[in-house]
Every structure is written in structure tokens, then in C-alpha cells.
Amino acid sequence: PVPNSFNFVLRDASTLIRDAHMALPGQTITHGIKVARTALAWTSSSLGSRSQITLGFTITEEYPTSIKVAALLITYPEGFQHPQDVDVVNDIKILNALTPVNDAPDIADVVSSNEKVVIFFRQDSHLPVGDHRFTIPVNIPEVLTEFNIWHIALCGPDDTSPLASCDELDHPDVMVRFPVPG
């Protein structure tokens, strides 16, 4: 909608306004791509251990070629970290292709930090209908927080760069995002 904004009004039991935030910016809505999350799986859920986490998404029907998926952002729950001794390009597995990232034809690059991974797709790639799952090595924290939620976001291309700069869930290039319970 134009303008893409909304108002948040907090009222008490007698409908008096107690607080309000007006003209909050809304998320960009991308029509035409239908995506669902897949279940998360672990090789180990022991606190303080290393595990292989498998998660991903399913494209449920063909989408228009005008929609470009440039990157996949996966963010970890608080306390989970990418192991420092892991080669991110060779140790992230793409299960639908059963190949390491550097051998996958649609992958351009992978960037990781302690709390997230961004997988960049080639500019000319179009993700097919079906499951797209990834296995990522992580260190499980000694203590879990109550909010054990992973996030997946599909990002469109950045107007200034061939690779999306999608590095946060609220980045303007995020087209679709959803939580994955841990």
C-alpha cells in the first residue's frame, strides 16, 4: 500500500490512549514468491557441543523470473556461534545438490560471522520449486536462552551491487523472512 506505514495505539480498558507510535514504516511486500520453512534438525543438542544444524526453505510453486533471489540470510539464536576453525565455503552443505558450496552451480559466495551466514546466489540463477536445505556447523552455547529462534530471509538484489548486501533481517532487500524454532 502507499503509503506503506501503520499506526500502533495502546489503549487501556476504558479505551483511553496510553501510548502511540504513528506512521511506522511497513515491510516491503514481495508478491509472487511462495515460500515455506522446513523443519530444523540437529546432529547433537548437547549444551556446549558442536553440532550440524540443517534448516532451509521450500519454494512451493514457480515464481516469475522478474523476482530475483540474490541471497539467503540465516541468523542464529543468541549464544550460537559459527566455529572459528571451520572453512565456511567447504563446510556448509547444500542438501538438495549434495555438493559443497564452492561446487554448487548457483552459489556465488558465502560470508559468515559468529551469528549469521549469508549465501549469495549467482545473478543469473533462478531457484527451482522444491526444498532448499543447508547444513551449517555451529557451536551450541553452554546455556540456552528462552528465545531459541533461527531466522531465514530471502533477499533481492541491491541496486548498487551485484551481490545483495543483505546482512540483517531488517535490511531493505529482504523480500521474505520467517522464524524457525530451534
Side-chain angles (χ1 to χ4, degrees):
V2 177
N4 186 5
S5 64
F6 63 97
N7 301 327
F8 182 79
V9 179
L10 179 64
R11 297 178 185 265
D12 64 16
S14 60
T15 70
L16 292 174
I17 296 175
R18 294 299 176 190
D19 197 4
H21 292 274
M22 310 305 277
L24 294 168
Q27 294 288 318
T28 301
I29 299 171
T30 302
H31 296 280
I33 186 166
K34 295 189 178 183
V35 181
R37 67 177 165 83
T38 60
L40 183 137
W42 312 70
T43 56
S44 169
S45 61
S46 299
L47 297 177
S49 69
R50 181 174 288 185
S51 183
Q52 299 286 326
I53 304 296
T54 301
L55 73 166
F57 60 95
T58 301
I59 296 178
T60 59
E61 61 185 57
E62 191 62 40
Y63 60 96
T65 57
S66 61
I67 297 175
K68 301 294 183 195
V69 179
L72 169 70
L73 169 65
I74 300 171
T75 63
Y76 306 165
E78 183 179 335
F80 285 78
Q81 293 189 344
H82 201 79
Q84 297 299 317
D85 62 338
V86 168
D87 176 5
V88 66
V89 171
N90 290 313
D91 289 333
I92 292 177
K93 303 295 182 212
I94 302 170
L95 299 184
N96 50 320
L98 296 175
T99 59
V101 169
N102 58 353
D103 292 337
D106 290 325
I107 303 299
D109 197 8
V110 176
V111 177
S112 75
S113 67
N114 277 345
E115 70 281 345
K116 64 187 161 201
V117 170
V118 184
I119 299 172
F120 296 100
F121 300 109
R122 279 194 353 238
Q123 284 183 301
D124 62 343
S125 67
H126 187 78
L127 301 178
V129 171
D131 287 344
H132 299 271
R133 296 183 311 133
F134 304 85
T135 297
I136 302 169
V138 296
N139 290 329
I140 299 174
E142 295 285 339
V143 177
L144 285 179
T145 65
E146 291 179 14
F147 194 71
N148 182 11
I149 304 292
W150 300 71
H151 287 93
I152 296 176
L154 296 178
C155 305
D158 186 304
D159 293 335
T160 62
S161 169
L163 294 178
S165 58
C166 186
D167 57 356
E168 297 294 334
L169 291 171
D170 60 355
H171 192 280
D173 292 333
V174 170
M175 297 186 300
V176 176
R177 72 179 191 188
F178 41 89
V180 180

